[in-house]
Amino acid sequence: MKKTIAAEILLVLLLVPVIYILTGRDEVRDIDADAVVSACEPYVTQDRFSGERAYEMSVKRNFGLNMNDYPAFVYYGNERAMDVNEFLWVDAGNEKGAKEVLASLEKRKSDQITAFTGYGPDQVAMLEKAQVFNCGRYAFYICSPYSGEWYDVIKKLVY
Amino acid sequence: MVFSGLVFLFIFLPSVLLVYYLVPFKRKNAVLAMFSLVFYAWGEPVYVLLMLYSVVLNYASALIMESSPNKKQVLVFNVVTNLLILGFFKYCGFLTGIVRDITGADIPELKVALPIGISFYTFQALSYVIDVYRGKVKPQRNIVDFAAYIAMFPQLIAGPIVRYSDISAQLRKRRISLEGFGRGSMRFTFGLAKKVLLANVLGETVEMLGTGDLTVLGAWIAAVCFTLQIYFDFSGYSDMAIGLGRMLGFRIGENFDHPYISSSVTEFWRRWHISLGSWFREYVYIPLGGNRVSAAKHIRNIMIVWFLTGLWHGAAWNFIVWGLYYGLLLLFEKYVLSHIKLPKAVALPLTMLFVIIGWVIFSANDMASAFSSIGAMFGAGAAGLTDKLSVLALIESWKLIIVGALFATPLPAMLCKKLTDNEAGKAAVMIYAMALLVLCTAFMSAQSYNPFMYFRF
């Protein structure tokens, strides 16, 4: 009986480092802009984005965010006034910063919905399904007919 | 790594098969265990640690139990440890959320990633230890053979849940033949086709419709497409698992038996996810007394099993409600409808209606969204009868729905069986399978939408 208890205690003790390793680590991987661009490239070609990455001015204009305040970002916008397809990834440096960025992204989504309500039902439908979320220190805005697939790609990239 | 991926099909599987077939029999289990761990580690290497721990825990528990004077104590220890591990990784966030909601306490949200396949391999391990306790099987003394059983990549991620008693003899001795390989590869191909050509494409319609403001038509198309999608996804995966097992010389039990031709919910659950149903029956329902108890206890037993079945599928209220929904339907059939014999022409569509409603609950993000979708199906709160989106969805999916409905029946399998009565028919089926494989490869290269739905368990 003593041997049985000792063996059971040993098995429980063996579990402790396993649980620690699986839960004590940073969930979110370090990624950079190049990794995001590579991962998202198939969807950029499927979506009717302007094709090239847009820069700080576009993000400032559309989201009210100054990208010089953040370590990195990737933004795919659109050139046509009636398009709402957009992809924005921001490395905010830390989770708190990402949540602050998220507030701006949510505002962009609601402003767009307000802007297109009444005359752009397809755009409104796409905007309602837009994915706005953060993974650790990264914030994402994905408005696309393929936003589900973009989301899956991002999850695999980040976790 | 997923079966319906190019990496698995063209790199991993050929490598496994090449090494597996080249090594002598006594090394085959080691090869299988090693490649299975590589397969599991592909997505997230660190979770292999938990898999290895599970192997050590259950291997050791069975051996300790054999020599211990108090076998029950060892069994309790093992079951509690397995369930605590499963509970921690799968239900921690859900349970802390409930405590937070009820008490208002400021408990931090615990973000614990769910190791893929944990529900499946934990249940497999539990079946082993319980069967050792019952004396049904002898403990496995070779840890490599045991690791091959727990980690076996064909069914590791999404089942079928293979009981040790069904496979123990095959671990020691199994027939590996060209015929088995051929049959296994055909089965795998048909499963792959179900997943890539049917499930994934149906899923795109479901995604397109979303869960926002649905019209009546949109709600029904989404529900029907999801009903077909989940069947082809899961049964396709099971076919692939069974086919892979056959290629490796293992005979794995069937997991689906054309559930959508059922005339009752009771029959449906004898045909859907057979390995899970039989696991709960063997290890929960029967030990509780099954139906050999008073009516009140029988009702209790059914509701416990179905509560647990719902909970097994996910840490969210909609899964629990889905499980209890089926518990109530089964009780209704047992205690109210048992003396009424409905004609099949009524029973089948009625059963399908209940099943479709069940899937709407299952697939919803939350209960509010489930009720909203069900309401929309029957006109309550729907955004009209039809709209542009739902009509577009119908135009794009009606042919696939008909094809899906046809392939959900036993007719294609019966035709295939009849064709293979002669050599010419066998050749035709083989060519058909090869064409399907080429088509699937083309689709996989182009497809961006390729989720495995049962992976979240």
Side-chain angles (χ1 to χ4, degrees), chain A residues 70-82:
Chain A
Y70 301 101
F73 78 101
V74 170
Y75 178 54
Y76 291 103
N78 52 72
E79 289 177 329
R80 286 165 280 210
M82 286 302 287

Side-chain angles (χ1 to χ4, degrees), chain A residues 1 3-19 21-23 25 27 29 42-43 46 95 99 121-122 125 128-129 131 134 136 145-149 152-153 156 159, chain B residues 43-50 53 56-57 60-61 64 67-70 73-75 77 81 85 88-89 111-113 115 204 207-213 388-389 446-451:
Chain A
M1 194 60 191
K3 277 187 188 170
T4 303
I5 304 282
E8 289 171 358
I9 291 170
L10 188 62
L11 284 168
V12 170
L13 288 174
L14 204 57
L15 181 58
V16 171
V18 172
I19 299 283
I21 291 167
L22 293 181
T23 58
R25 58 203 186 96
E27 284 288 343
R29 282 192 205 134
Y43 303 100
Q46 284 181 61
E95 190 157 358
K99 288 199 191 302
D122 295 334
E128 276 168 354
K129 288 179 199 163
Q131 308 264 5
N134 78 296
Y146 307 96
S147 55
E149 291 98 299
D152 289 338
V153 164
K156 276 190 205 143
Y159 287 114
Chain B
E44 184 56 76
V46 74
Y47 286 110
V48 166
L49 281 177
L50 192 64
Y53 179 79
V56 167
L57 168 72
S61 297
I64 294 166
S67 57
S68 171
N70 193 345
Q73 187 271 333
V74 180
L75 176 71
F77 163 76
T81 309
I85 294 170
F88 176 74
F89 283 98
K111 285 182 188 165
V112 179
E204 287 174 8
E207 267 291 300
M208 183 171 86
L209 287 163
T211 53
D213 293 328
K388 266 192 337 190
L389 185 64
Q447 236 168 28
S448 56
Y449 188 75
N450 190 20

Side-chain angles (χ1 to χ4, degrees), chain B residues 159-211:
Chain B
I161 298 170
V162 176
R163 286 196 244 165
Y164 183 76
S165 52
D166 294 334
I167 211 154
S168 57
Q170 296 181 70
L171 284 168
R172 282 193 313 276
K173 188 177 174 180
R174 56 189 177 271
R175 196 165 158 261
I176 298 164
S177 64
L178 261 180
E179 193 210 343
F181 182 87
R183 285 182 188 276
S185 51
M186 288 251 272
R187 184 78 187 258
F188 176 87
T189 305
F190 291 141
L192 182 68
K194 274 186 181 176
K195 162 75 183 137
V196 172
L197 304 180
L198 293 174
N200 284 1
V201 184
L202 285 159
E204 287 174 8
T205 303
V206 176
E207 267 291 300
M208 183 171 86
L209 287 163
T211 53

Side-chain angles (χ1 to χ4, degrees), chain A residues 93-155:
Chain A
N94 54 60
E95 190 157 358
K96 186 164 173 272
K99 288 199 191 302
E100 286 165 4
V101 168
L102 217 57
S104 300
L105 305 187
E106 291 284 3
K107 186 174 180 306
R108 170 66 172 170
K109 181 178 169 179
S110 66
D111 285 349
Q112 287 279 74
I113 290 172
T114 305
F116 282 91
T117 299
Y119 73 97
D122 295 334
Q123 288 84 344
V124 171
M126 202 191 305
L127 282 160
E128 276 168 354
K129 288 179 199 163
Q131 308 264 5
V132 180
F133 60 96
N134 78 296
C135 298
R137 66 177 200 263
Y138 308 122
F140 293 90
Y141 179 96
I142 309 173
C143 183
S144 152
Y146 307 96
S147 55
E149 291 98 299
W150 283 83
Y151 180 77
D152 289 338
V153 164
I154 296 300
K155 261 186 68 175

